[in-house]
Amino acid sequence: MTGPRQPKDMPGLLKFCLEATRSEDAPVQDQDKVLQEMDPERKKWLEEALSSMAVDFIEQLGNGIKVLNSDTADLEEKEEVLDKLEDWLGNIDMAVNFHKIGGYSCLRNCLLGPHPSLRSGASHLIAEISQNNPYCQEKFVSEGFLDLLVVQLDQDSDEHCQVKALYAISCISRDEPVALAKFGQLDGWGVLVRAVQRESPKLRTKGCFMISSASQVSGQVVKEMVDMGLVMQLAHILHLPFDNSHEHILSALLTLVKNSSQAREEARAENLGLVEVLGNRVKVLEDKEEFSECVEHSKSILQLLEPDFVATEDWQEVADWQSVPGGCHVKMDMETGKKMARKEETADR
């Protein structure tokens, strides 16, 4: 991997990073002059980042950035660099320093490029270095990466790129109200609804994980999601033939109905048929251990939607999630093991 002349001291390191992050078509500048005119705060910022890294490591990062920004490097070499960057930037401090030396420029170029492998690879790297890293999360939002990723999720023709874009968006916005607000401003929730509707279990799974995670941050976020019709869309998917993604659909739906009275009202709508679907789902899956999470999520939703047993004059089965009001006769059906109840006023038959 070829690269700029190797640095020997701090001024050399600064020049090295400036050269490595310069676009190939950008005019060549006098590096000494650039350093002299650089804002003192930015220069100090760079020096602190560089002083915390070994010279050979900075060389590797700089050369990697140079390759990804190059118009002449071959695709295989760029893919290799992205793989190496994931290893190199696993440490939070290194991920922060990668931004400080100008590394985000190469990620932007990859996202905007024609090669699906680079778009997906850059999205994956953005996701990895954003996790539990508020500094990087904030920079990806303020420098416009969230905008690029929303477009990639919504419009990219490659499903793998869509999945990785959603992974990156989820990591950037996790526990970050500012990122979630920006996502909403970009019509992100509408984009997410469309993504979850696609015939892609991976998109559904990651989309539902983001819904569940975002719902914990603020009531405003929950309202935005409900207003975008997420309850109806999730319910529609549950009407489709059962598959493994339904566990995540149920988890996301449970989070919404837990945190929003509007979501509960929508979910109770008779024309949605959700209560019936979930009741049938419980009956079919409750004896199958591998689907225990689906059963628990379904019961929890039903408990929120229909918490009380409605008694009539006839014996009826009481669902596991329902409480029996006062003034009822209750018995156990010894053949089925089910609890039964009816109004107390009715004489025994």
Side-chain angles (χ1 to χ4, degrees):
M1 187 184 294
T2 59
R5 182 176 57 83
Q6 305 307 299
K8 301 297 183 184
D9 50 23
M10 182 57 69
L13 286 174
L14 288 169
K15 293 178 186 178
F16 178 86
C17 292
L18 291 171
E19 186 179 349
T21 56
R22 179 179 62 84
S23 303
E24 287 194 338
D25 56 355
V28 176
Q29 297 175 297
D30 183 334
Q31 302 291 355
D32 290 316
K33 184 178 179 181
V34 172
L35 285 174
Q36 289 174 4
E37 296 177 353
M38 181 180 288
D39 178 74
E41 186 174 345
R42 171 164 171 74
K43 186 175 181 181
K44 180 183 178 183
W45 190 52
L46 266 174
E47 288 177 344
E48 288 176 349
L50 295 172
S51 65
S52 67
M53 297 187 286
V55 171
D56 59 343
F57 183 71
I58 298 170
E59 292 172 7
Q60 289 178 316
L61 284 183
N63 289 333
I65 294 167
K66 188 79 171 177
V67 168
L68 291 176
N69 282 334
S70 171
D71 293 330
T72 56
D74 62 47
L75 178 60
E76 186 176 344
E77 187 177 9
K78 291 186 175 185
E79 291 171 345
E80 182 183 351
V81 168
L82 282 174
D83 288 340
K84 288 182 177 179
L85 283 174
E86 184 177 351
D87 294 332
W88 295 340
L89 303 178
N91 177 285
I92 288 178
D93 291 334
M94 291 301 101
V96 170
N97 289 337
F98 180 64
H99 170 263
K100 290 183 176 180
I101 67 172
Y104 281 16
S105 63
C106 66
L107 298 180
R108 184 185 301 277
N109 287 337
C110 289
L111 291 178
L112 294 172
H115 303 291
S117 61
L118 298 185
R119 295 197 302 274
S120 62
S123 301
H124 181 80
L125 183 59
I126 289 169
E128 291 294 306
I129 64 181
S130 295
Q131 294 198 59
N132 304 312
N133 194 331
Y135 176 93
C136 290
Q137 288 174 300
E138 189 277 325
K139 295 303 178 185
F140 281 128
V141 174
S142 64
E143 296 183 14
F145 281 84
L146 199 56
D147 310 52
L148 297 177
L149 291 164
V150 168
V151 172
Q152 182 170 307
L153 170 60
D154 198 35
Q155 301 178 13
D156 203 295
S157 59
D158 186 277
E159 181 183 332
H160 191 56
C161 290
Q162 296 170 10
V163 171
K164 290 300 182 181
L166 181 50
Y167 176 37
I169 291 168
S170 182
C171 290
I172 290 172
S173 60
R174 191 169 304 157
D175 299 323
E176 283 294 322
V178 173
L180 288 169
K182 178 65 174 178
F183 184 66
Q185 292 167 13
L186 296 168
D187 188 33
W189 302 118
V191 171
L192 187 61
V193 167
R194 292 192 287 275
V196 171
Q197 287 176 315
R198 294 180 195 139
E199 296 295 327
S200 169
K202 288 184 177 179
L203 274 178
R204 285 182 180 173
T205 298
K206 290 192 179 299
C208 289
F209 179 82
M210 181 173 175
I211 291 168
S212 299
S213 176
S215 296
Q216 310 300 322
V217 176
S218 77
Q220 179 59 33
V221 169
V222 174
K223 186 178 186 308
E224 288 179 16
M225 289 191 284
V226 175
D227 286 345
M228 285 303 305
L230 266 177
V231 171
M232 183 176 67
Q233 298 302 333
L234 295 176
H236 171 72
I237 294 171
L238 292 174
H239 278 277
L240 300 175
F242 179 79
D243 64 41
N244 289 334
S245 71
H246 283 209
E247 177 184 331
H248 306 285
I249 299 291
L250 289 165
S251 177
L253 183 58
L254 174 59
T255 306
L256 292 178
V257 297
K258 263 185 178 179
N259 293 285
S260 167
S261 58
Q262 180 185 343
R264 290 192 291 275
E265 286 304 311
E266 291 185 13
R268 290 189 185 105
E270 192 172 338
N271 63 347
L272 206 58
L274 183 59
V275 171
E276 183 180 358
V277 167
L278 294 180
N280 290 336
R281 185 66 47 81
V282 170
K283 289 178 181 178
V284 171
L285 301 179
E286 63 181 342
D287 294 327
K288 300 178 180 179
E289 186 177 350
E290 64 270 30
F291 299 123
S292 60
E293 289 291 326
C294 288
V295 172
E296 288 305 312
H297 291 330
S298 297
K299 287 182 178 180
S300 296
I301 295 170
L302 286 166
Q303 190 171 28
L304 289 164
L305 302 184
E306 282 198 340
D308 297 321
F309 174 76
V310 179
T312 67
E313 295 182 351
D314 299 312
W315 288 106
Q316 297 180 92
E317 180 182 335
V318 180
D320 293 346
W321 61 88
Q322 291 180 319
S323 59
V324 179
C328 290
H329 279 300
V330 180
K331 71 175 183 179
M332 183 69 71
D333 187 315
M334 302 309 294
E335 291 185 6
T336 64
K338 301 295 185 181
K339 183 163 66 174
M340 311 291 289
R342 70 178 185 189
K343 284 184 178 179
E344 196 171 37
E345 292 80 9
T346 303
D348 291 339
R349 298 174 184 176

